[in-house]
Amino acid sequence: MNELLSPSAALREAWRCLHCWDAPCTAACPVHVPIPEFIARLRADDIVGAEELVRQANPLISSCGDICPDEDYCSRACILKDVEGSIRVRELHGFVTESAHAPWQRWKPWKAERVAVVGAGPAGIACARELARFGYHVFVFEKDNAPGGMLRYSLAADRFPVRILDQDLALMQGLGITWKTGACVDSLKSLLDSYDAVFYGTGRHEDATLGLADEESFLFSGLSFLRAWRTGSGESLAGKDVVIIGGGNVSLDVASTAVHAGAESVVLIYRRGPKEMPVWKREREHVEGKGVRFEFCTRPTGFITEGGVLKALQCQRTRLIDTGKSRLTPQDVEGYDFLLPADLVIGSVGMNASKDEDVELGWKDKAYLPVDENMRTKEKRLFAGGDLVSGEGTVVAAQSHGIRAARAIHALLQEVRS
């Protein structure tokens, strides 16, 4: 969890903002938080007003104030980036969120139409909130016992305490949304028959496989590992050597959690180099500070066992070559193979969707659900967003999908009504 700015530090940072007329920071934000405007209210000591502006744009205001990768969005676009350093927008966002705690408006649905939202991750939550603001009867179906999706079940506890998510969800309790938790949706077709429109945002909850021999016996799922620890059922790793295979932000959460679980050593292997690792800088530095060792340009080739017990992971060194693709390609370096001691190997090389719908959605490359600019699928009344559409993404990007879909659903229902 990030340390909160003091009031004086927040005010000093707010006064650095130049209030650019074209607000490149707002344009770079997926949900288009009106950054100069909320900073202006903060400078005027209107913290409640500042929080209200942010919350209007961002339903998961507290969560994003804590974990949003501003280095990819507003901070990268800030005009002061190469002068004296970008405005610390995320920290200011977090400050007003934690300082104001203004109550959200309460209302009941006033329109006849009913909309179903499948999946209560960031995309589904944002879609539901926006539809509720339009006055629709919104029903959210979530297979788990509580909403939140990856935020609740797949982040390291030291990076994101679940109380922050619950704080956001508590603010939404007066919006007239019906939450159906512990509810598996077996048929999208049935929902389309029962509701005026459907938003589909179930995310990706299956680990991708590596294709190694005996993988099913000796490779543990990264998502299952994180879920166990987030739900209080994780087992101690005291005295164990843990090797993690992967290179994304989820693999960093696995590594951080393994340290928390008491592992003797934690090594993360990645087949490319540090520059190619698709992670946020501050998250990697956080994990390195906890003693996690990185083995770059390394790929796994097999499991070494003794009497059916895992002893080591066999690895192969790689080098990166230019093959004309957008990313450098790893190529094996002959004669450079080695063993890493391992009592537990955890895989985190990507996530797949279940793809068990009874409606033809035309999955692209068997991995991505195609939608138009309004997040509409091939089915006119079925919209989708989040990781199903984009692959592993950010909370704020998933929310932007949900908000865009909600506005398109509103337009569709208005058209039908007229």
Side-chain angles (χ1 to χ4, degrees), residues 67 76 88 119 188 231 280 304 311 319 332 337 401:
I67 65 169
R76 175 177 289 182
R88 296 161 64 187
L188 283 178
T231 57
W280 304 318
I304 305 300
K311 292 297 182 180
R319 62 184 174 190
D332 288 351
D337 57 330
H401 291 175

Side-chain angles (χ1 to χ4, degrees), residues 19 55 72 105 125 148 176 179 217 224 253 262 349 393 395 404 414:
H19 289 273
R55 198 193 308 172
D72 289 341
Q105 303 99 315
I125 289 171
W179 301 89
S217 299
S224 297
D253 283 305
V349 295
V395 171
R404 198 185 319 165
Q414 289 288 95

